[in-house]
Amino acid sequence: MKENVVQVRVRGIYSTALCKLFLDHGFTITQASSVLAERLNIEKTMYPPNVEVYDTKNRQGVVVVGEREPLEKTLNAIREEVEDVVTRRPSVNLNAIYMGRIIRKFNGKAIADIGHMRIIVTPPFADEGKVQLLRISEVDPKPIASGEISIAGKYVVLTTNNQIGVSNKIKSKDVRKILYHFGEKMKPVNMGIIFRTAAGSVDLALVSEEIEKISKEMEEVINISASLEEPTLVREGEAVVVTEFPASAKRALDDVRKSVVPTVKGHHFYKASGDNIACLVDFAEEILSRHPELHGEISSTLERKVLEKNIRNGNEVKIEHVKPNGKIIYLYGRVAQAKLPQGEIVIRRTFRGKGYYDGLNVPKDPGDHGVTIIMPEEWFFKTEYYSKDGTFKGAFYNINTPIEVYPHKIRYIDLEIDVVEWPDGTVRVIDQSTLEEAYIKGYIPRKLKEKAEKVAERIMNEIVNRRRMEK
């Protein structure tokens, strides 16, 4: 294994596209599946990775975790090749260890104070008011801590559960048996061992050295914690970034994958839709591999079959309004009209409470209704607001990443900047500073920020011209 080379392990629905992208940047792909190694014509190696990439739970992007310098190189490679990627850096590192104070228990879980934030904790955990060591076990979609402490190396993970385990990726029964016996011999007192994938193909002397090194680090963490009475960071953990691929990024990844293997239009969109549709895509691409001349027909048929089934007139639909920082606001309405796959979707919502319409600062009254007009893959959508008697109160143009219409839901990433239109013809672009803030915080790249600004300017000009023509 060469020094200073990014050794990346990739898992999930984006693996083929991302591995091709990483290879083009000179990275080494390690621990690839047999299918992926054959597809990319690479040697199948079992080197320990210094960066791991895997799907987010909702399959809308990937989690990138590992050593800081290789991680940044990996993230930069993704950003260079795939426009519009949204990036979020969690407030904690994965597998970081904190001394935390248990604040409250509920439903088999707990809430703990770790110093700079409060976090949900899974068992085991102490009594309320007590302090204990906690490990950040998840960061996607939000940080979660565990009362079970572990420290990972290249070949093993040492835990506090006193058990021995072997990676499921090690298939050889003989190797698994050897590692179990080796673990029984080498397991430190009151600790457990999990042998990682790379342990199945290296000299056990290296594994032994790492067990000794990590066990000393674990003892040091435990000894330090004995003198701590307040929440604080004890061990830094691994650098981690969560990325999200909006529609435009998924399309770019489709193109990369298409350069390697037959790929239907919208491959990653469908794969993110769920297992049932993913299986349908696999079947379609099997046909495509034998009949590449049918690419257009297969892609259009798949699109029609997937979308026509679920977004229908009269159905209730959920809208996932995703903020750049990852917060999701759920909106609901009833489909008044749907002309899929290419036509518009009209959604009607009736309001029961009082308030003010966002951006317009116009009173919202019981009985008012909003009419939202959505075009798949468009960079904005429009909502018109009306009083109970049908009087137009104003319109709100939401600027966002290209709209994705999934089975049972509509999803996009809100780009913060908006355009508002009042009944008297006044038009204004609003929330430019919020867009700027999202860029400064690193959530969105400069090009995506500039796209949003151009869309807002175009919409405002179109409204002004339309109003002028109406006079």
Side-chain angles (χ1 to χ4, degrees):
M1 184 173 65
K2 298 178 182 178
E3 296 293 328
N4 301 319
V5 171
V6 178
Q7 303 272 353
V8 60
R9 178 173 68 189
V10 186
R11 296 284 186 268
I13 67 172
Y14 302 97
S15 57
T16 298
L18 289 178
C19 283
K20 175 63 169 66
L21 185 156
F22 295 150
L23 287 170
D24 290 346
H25 277 255
F27 299 172
T28 297
I29 306 301
T30 187
Q31 299 180 20
S33 67
S34 298
V35 171
L36 189 58
E38 180 180 358
R39 185 176 284 171
L40 295 167
N41 193 28
I42 58 174
E43 179 185 358
K44 187 176 179 181
T45 66
M46 288 296 150
Y47 296 134
N50 49 27
V51 176
E52 297 183 54
V53 179
Y54 53 88
D55 292 348
T56 55
K57 285 188 172 65
N58 62 11
R59 297 184 178 180
Q60 292 294 333
V62 293
V63 178
V64 185
V65 58
E67 299 172 16
R68 191 167 298 282
E69 185 176 341
L71 179 145
E72 293 300 333
K73 289 181 179 179
T74 303
L75 185 61
N76 288 338
I78 295 173
R79 285 168 160 171
E80 285 176 21
E81 302 298 331
V82 184
E83 288 189 4
D84 304 337
V85 175
V86 175
T87 306
R88 302 169 186 130
R89 296 180 185 267
S91 56
V92 291
N93 283 349
L94 191 63
N95 293 316
I97 297 174
Y98 287 84
M99 178 61 79
R101 186 181 304 280
I102 303 301
I103 303 297
R104 181 168 64 89
K105 296 181 180 182
F106 69 101
N107 299 331
K109 298 180 181 179
I111 295 177
D113 176 9
I114 60 172
H116 69 292
M117 65 181 292
R118 292 189 174 187
I119 192 169
I120 293 176
V121 182
T122 59
F125 42 74
D127 292 333
E128 292 181 1
K130 300 291 185 180
V131 294
Q132 71 170 103
L133 287 175
L134 300 171
R135 175 180 61 88
I136 305 301
S137 56
E138 297 181 33
V139 295
D140 168 49
K142 59 183 178 181
I144 294 178
S146 169
E148 184 177 298
I149 305 305
S150 64
I151 298 178
K154 295 178 179 179
Y155 308 111
V156 299
V157 179
L158 291 193
T159 72
T160 54
N161 68 9
N162 210 29
Q163 298 176 355
I164 298 173
V166 177
S167 167
N168 291 331
K169 301 295 182 182
I170 299 176
K171 301 299 182 182
S172 169
K173 291 182 180 179
D174 290 339
V175 173
R176 295 181 69 85
K177 186 176 180 180
I178 290 170
L179 290 175
Y180 271 114
H181 287 316
F182 186 70
E184 290 172 349
K185 176 183 174 182
M186 296 297 300
K187 187 175 77 66
V189 177
N190 297 324
M191 294 186 197
I193 297 179
I194 300 172
F195 291 97
R196 306 187 73 178
T197 304
S201 58
V202 296
D203 190 328
L204 289 180
L206 290 175
V207 182
S208 178
E209 289 177 11
E210 187 171 81
I211 291 173
E212 184 177 354
K213 176 186 174 184
I214 296 177
S215 64
K216 288 181 179 178
E217 187 174 353
M218 181 77 87
E219 289 172 0
E220 184 179 350
V221 166
I222 293 172
N223 290 338
I224 290 173
S225 69
S227 62
L228 297 175
E229 297 180 357
E230 297 297 328
T232 188
L233 176 66
V234 177
R235 184 176 183 273
E236 186 174 330
E238 302 164 277
V240 61
V241 174
V242 180
T243 69
E244 180 160 346
F245 301 138
S248 48
K250 290 189 183 78
R251 287 197 295 268
L253 290 168
D254 287 350
D255 290 339
V256 176
R257 188 181 190 276
K258 190 177 178 180
S259 70
V260 176
V261 67
T263 300
V264 296
K265 179 184 176 183
H267 171 94
H268 292 102
F269 163 78
Y270 294 126
K271 285 288 185 174
S273 298
D275 291 337
N276 290 338
I277 293 175
C279 290
L280 190 60
V281 172
D282 292 339
F283 176 70
E285 289 178 340
E286 176 63 27
I287 298 174
L288 184 61
S289 67
R290 300 174 188 178
H291 300 281
E293 73 278 6
L294 298 178
H295 183 275
E297 185 178 345
I298 291 172
S299 294
S300 60
T301 300
L302 184 61
E303 180 181 35
R304 187 172 61 254
K305 292 296 182 184
V306 169
L307 296 183
E308 281 183 348
K309 263 187 217 181
N310 300 291
I311 305 294
R312 294 180 174 176
N313 294 350
N315 285 3
E316 185 176 67
V317 65
K318 177 171 71 174
I319 300 174
E320 292 186 355
H321 181 94
V322 186
K323 305 298 284 186
N325 65 3
K327 179 182 178 181
I328 302 178
I329 299 171
Y330 294 100
L331 306 171
Y332 297 87
R334 194 160 297 280
V335 178
Q337 177 180 299
K339 297 179 180 178
L340 294 172
Q342 299 300 330
E344 66 184 21
I345 303 169
V346 179
I347 298 171
R348 181 184 171 105
R349 290 182 291 157
T350 300
F351 306 109
R352 295 187 177 89
K354 282 182 168 291
Y356 287 86
Y357 291 112
D358 186 30
L360 291 163
N361 200 31
V362 172
K364 179 197 299 181
D365 299 306
D368 284 4
H369 69 273
V371 177
T372 299
I373 302 169
I374 289 175
M375 283 289 292
E377 301 188 11
E378 184 56 87
W379 284 82
F380 74 96
F381 66 87
K382 173 185 179 182
T383 299
E384 298 174 342
Y385 296 107
Y386 296 91
S387 65
K388 191 174 182 179
D389 64 8
T391 302
F392 177 61
K393 287 191 165 186
F396 187 95
Y397 297 78
N398 194 89
I399 315 301
N400 41 259
T401 58
I403 296 167
E404 297 178 291
V405 181
Y406 287 93
H408 309 299
K409 71 178 182 183
I410 294 167
R411 183 182 176 92
Y412 53 83
I413 300 172
D414 178 42
L415 295 177
E416 303 292 7
I417 192 170
D418 303 294
V419 179
V420 288
E421 176 187 7
W422 282 271
D424 65 0
T426 303
V427 185
R428 188 176 299 159
V429 176
I430 62 171
D431 295 336
Q432 297 98 320
S433 62
T434 314
L435 171 64
E436 184 71 24
E437 183 181 356
Y439 165 67
I440 291 171
K441 288 184 175 180
Y443 296 137
I444 64 173
R446 177 180 290 278
K447 284 186 178 180
L448 184 54
K449 168 181 170 289
E450 291 172 349
K451 287 179 184 178
E453 290 169 336
K454 288 179 180 178
V455 171
E457 183 180 5
R458 173 172 62 83
I459 291 171
M460 185 180 70
N461 289 336
E462 288 176 356
I463 296 170
V464 169
N465 290 335
R466 171 172 54 82
R467 287 281 188 170
R468 188 179 295 126
M469 293 291 289
E470 289 173 353
K471 289 183 178 179

